[in-house]
Amino acid sequence: MKSLLFSICSIICVITFQAQEQTFADFEWSELTNNRVSGSLSPILAFPSESGFTMYSVEKFGSQFYAPKIINITKFDAFGKPTSAIDFKLPIRLLKDAALLKIIEGDNKLYFFSNIAVKKDGKNVLYAQIYDNETHRVSDPIELYTIPFEKINNSGFFEIASSSNKRTFAVLVNQLFEKKTNEAITVLTFDENLNKLSESTHTLSFESDRAYNESLFVENDATVNIIKKTDTFKKHPITTIITVKGNDVKEQQVSTEGFYISDSKVISYNDSQFLVGFATDNAKPTVSVGGAKDDSFFIYNISEGNLIKNQKWSQDTRKRVLGKGYLNLKIKDVLMDNEIVYLIGDCYSTDSEEIDGKNFEYNYTHRFGPGIVIKLDINGSVIYETPINYGEDYLNRMEVLGSFFPFLDNGQFFVLANEKEYILKNKKIVFGSEKANAKAIVLKSFDDEGNIKTIPFWNSETGGENQYATFAPTQTILIKDKAFYIYATGKEKHKFGKMTLK
């Protein structure tokens, strides 16, 4: 009798555990709809709230390869149902359409930056259009800056960045290139309404033809940092930080022999700026092996001008990752929790192949994985480095399914991703079966030592085998606490959803 009771209790416990395992998250999905309908061809989610979210999509206006762009913006309710939509074009000057440069999400606003260089009037003009999410309206084009030029192939160019608090914008203007002269730049800052705060022009120590390979960052206090790379195809590429504050400019070379930066990002802490990222000790084989093979991560104090830490991968990382470094490692995100820094990397590369019989049309293969998470403090003390072993290829529009979504909750680091169900269940699958494509959303939690626990959400399926849509981790936005809006897409269908973690 005791044995029978024990067996019954064991069965109940197993059933209870399985039920709990399947309810770590609740899902509310909208209906599957056609993802090839104009207005939602390349959706990006923004402005999450308890009442809904906004989606914008940049698309061609017409079928020609060089067709101008049109932007569609749609508002959705909390159940993924569209409530209102608008569309607009980029500016036109002298019958020429603007080229889209960048879209920045601000405080309940979207900023669309574009430019038009027209030989007839000899002007390269930077424009901005502001979408207000409250009024659901787009402003008339604003002319932010004009570069006069004589030749269209020497008309200068622009770079734009915003601060972390979304209240300050910076524009870097690379002025016209002139032989046997040094590079001239103009740096402007603007407030959230794009009212100009400052403008300064500087002549750098670089030759005028070295304006490429730059990244722009602006901090909440309007400090502007330009990360410039030169000699990128030589044995010893150089990385220089150019800091602009008002009318003051400062240059400092960061890279040294054996320390070559591949990807980096500027962060701020206690009114000081830091550069964090990935590096290699040998940049020469970059072309031959197909990309930079990173073998270290680093943190550099820009304000004080010193390298705090450049640490090689641990033996455990080297064992778990093919080879002794990461190929094509890019910064996916940098998250901060007071003085703690989470540096998150994702290997990404893409190849293109021309489609037979079609002009200027290509198939693109996007490769993701593996990834890595490094937790360290602002003084360079490393808490852990944890590789994330995965690797998948996606074709064309399915690129959105790649990678993962990192976030912090009460000081703990998590990753949302999708993984194949047959791998999670350790099952063999018949090649060609629809079930080979079935995926579940998983939550990866990292403990204080960087150990990963993976929890699959078996109730996260979005559709049947033949018209399933897979969760897109790169299209996940936090509403608040543990509630998210998420996007799922398949070959010809997609849907929106709301996910609430328990």
Side-chain angles (χ1 to χ4, degrees):
M1 186 66 180
K2 287 183 179 180
S3 176
L4 178 61
L5 288 173
F6 179 80
S7 299
I8 293 173
C9 289
S10 299
I11 294 170
I12 292 173
C13 288
V14 170
I15 294 172
T16 303
F17 175 78
Q18 290 176 341
Q20 288 176 344
E21 189 177 45
Q22 293 187 21
T23 57
F24 278 119
D26 289 332
F27 295 88
E28 300 173 70
W29 292 102
S30 64
E31 293 296 322
L32 277 166
T33 55
N34 193 336
N35 65 14
R36 297 183 181 275
V37 174
S38 177
S40 62
L41 295 179
S42 55
I44 303 293
L45 277 60
F47 311 131
S49 70
E50 293 184 354
S51 60
F53 60 93
T54 300
M55 181 199 77
Y56 62 95
S57 179
V58 180
E59 302 170 11
K60 290 182 182 179
F61 185 70
S63 58
Q64 296 182 358
F65 181 77
Y66 293 106
K69 297 286 194 303
I70 187 169
I71 292 98
N72 296 274
I73 302 178
T74 305
K75 302 194 78 166
F76 290 80
D77 63 19
F79 304 101
K81 182 179 179 181
T83 58
S84 57
I86 60 171
D87 60 68
F88 65 97
K89 297 179 184 178
L90 297 175
I92 299 175
R93 193 176 81 252
L94 296 178
L95 303 179
K96 185 172 182 179
D97 295 281
L100 182 63
L101 296 176
K102 200 165 192 177
I103 302 172
I104 294 178
E105 182 180 339
D107 185 10
N108 219 25
K109 292 183 175 69
L110 288 172
Y111 299 81
F112 298 86
F113 296 93
S114 61
N115 78 298
I116 309 176
V118 181
K119 183 178 180 181
K120 189 172 182 179
D121 64 1
K123 294 191 300 184
N124 186 359
V125 181
L126 174 66
Y127 295 94
Q129 292 158 283
I130 305 175
Y131 165 76
D132 189 319
N133 195 49
E134 291 186 5
T135 62
H136 198 44
R137 294 180 180 177
V138 179
S139 71
D140 292 332
I142 304 167
E143 295 188 15
L144 294 181
Y145 195 86
T146 298
I147 308 175
F149 67 88
E150 295 181 359
K151 296 181 179 179
I152 194 71
N153 62 350
N154 185 21
S155 55
F157 61 91
F158 308 96
E159 179 59 64
I160 306 101
S162 65
S163 61
S164 59
N165 66 2
K166 303 179 181 180
R167 296 177 182 173
T168 305
F169 292 82
V171 172
L172 169 63
V173 183
N174 288 105
Q175 300 286 357
L176 308 182
F177 305 152
E178 296 181 18
K179 293 182 179 180
K180 298 181 180 180
T181 62
N182 283 2
E183 179 184 344
I185 63 169
T186 298
V187 176
L188 305 99
T189 60
F190 299 86
D191 65 15
E192 58 188 323
N193 296 314
L194 296 186
N195 298 310
K196 187 165 67 176
L197 300 174
S198 67
E199 178 178 347
S200 59
T201 299
H202 309 276
T203 301
L204 305 178
S205 62
F206 301 87
E207 294 178 9
S208 183
D209 61 350
R210 290 187 172 183
Y212 299 100
N213 297 306
E214 295 176 338
S215 300
L216 180 67
F217 300 90
V218 59
E219 307 311 306
N220 295 340
D221 65 354
T223 299
V224 175
N225 285 289
I226 305 163
I227 313 302
K228 175 183 283 289
K229 293 185 178 182
T230 52
D231 298 340
T232 52
F233 295 104
K234 295 184 179 180
K235 184 176 181 180
H236 301 292
I238 298 170
T239 300
T240 305
I241 302 175
I242 302 159
T243 303
V244 179
K245 179 71 173 176
N247 291 316
D248 298 327
V249 62
K250 175 185 176 183
E251 297 181 17
Q252 52 182 311
Q253 182 175 321
V254 183
S255 57
T256 58
E257 186 172 353
F259 173 57
Y260 308 113
I261 296 171
S262 59
D263 197 19
S264 58
K265 184 176 181 178
V266 176
I267 59 175
S268 289
Y269 178 74
N270 278 355
D271 299 323
S272 293
Q273 279 82 51
F274 300 82
L275 190 70
V276 296
F278 304 112
T280 179
D281 62 359
N282 185 0
K284 189 176 181 180
T286 296
V287 177
S288 62
V289 301
K293 196 170 186 180
D294 298 293
D295 64 353
S296 67
F297 56 91
F298 74 91
I299 180 167
Y300 181 93
N301 191 318
I302 298 173
S303 301
E304 296 182 2
N306 68 289
L307 180 63
I308 299 173
K309 174 67 67 71
N310 178 41
Q311 180 155 316
K312 302 285 187 180
W313 301 129
S314 67
Q315 288 300 319
D316 182 59
T317 298
R318 292 175 187 273
K319 289 178 182 178
R320 293 172 61 183
V321 178
L322 183 64
K324 294 185 178 180
Y326 280 86
L327 196 64
N328 300 308
L329 187 61
K330 305 289 190 301
I331 293 178
K332 177 170 181 59
D333 208 345
V334 178
L335 303 179
M336 296 194 68
D337 184 15
N338 295 318
E339 77 282 358
I340 298 299
V341 180
Y342 294 85
L343 174 60
I344 303 132
D346 182 23
C347 289
Y348 171 78
S349 62
T350 182
D351 291 328
S352 61
E353 186 177 30
E354 190 171 358
I355 300 175
D356 291 340
K358 295 188 177 182
N359 295 325
F360 304 109
E361 291 191 34
Y362 299 83
N363 279 322
Y364 294 89
T365 301
H366 305 276
R367 296 184 172 86
F368 295 88
I372 191 163
V373 177
I374 297 127
K375 181 180 179 180
L376 70 162
D377 66 25
I378 206 71
N379 299 311
S381 297
V382 180
I383 301 167
Y384 64 71
E385 58 174 281
T386 300
I388 307 177
N389 289 331
Y390 66 96
E392 286 198 273
D393 296 353
Y394 294 97
L395 189 66
N396 297 332
R397 291 160 51 91
M398 302 303 283
E399 175 193 6
V400 70
L401 294 176
S403 195
F404 50 86
F405 175 76
F407 67 97
L408 291 170
D409 182 50
N410 292 325
Q412 188 175 1
F413 182 78
F414 296 91
V415 162
L416 279 167
N418 55 17
E419 294 186 10
K420 292 181 178 179
E421 286 191 3
Y422 76 89
I423 294 177
L424 289 168
K425 295 177 179 178
N426 196 25
K427 290 185 176 181
K428 292 184 179 180
I429 197 77
V430 178
F431 182 76
S433 168
E434 285 290 341
K435 291 183 178 180
N437 295 316
K439 293 184 178 182
I441 299 176
V442 300
L443 178 70
K444 295 180 180 290
S445 61
F446 291 64
D447 66 16
D448 293 339
E449 285 75 43
N451 300 307
I452 301 176
K453 179 182 178 182
T454 300
I455 302 173
F457 302 144
W458 303 118
N459 59 331
S460 61
E461 291 184 353
T462 60
E465 291 181 10
N466 294 322
Q467 54 176 191
Y468 74 94
T470 301
F471 164 69
T474 48
Q475 288 281 272
T476 302
I477 51 176
L478 177 65
I479 304 171
K480 71 171 189 177
D481 299 331
K482 297 180 180 180
F484 304 81
Y485 287 122
I486 56 180
Y487 175 70
T489 184
K491 292 181 179 179
E492 295 182 357
K493 300 286 185 179
H494 66 181
K495 60 168 58 179
F496 302 95
K498 183 178 181 181
M499 174 177 59
T500 305
L501 303 182
K502 296 295 180 105

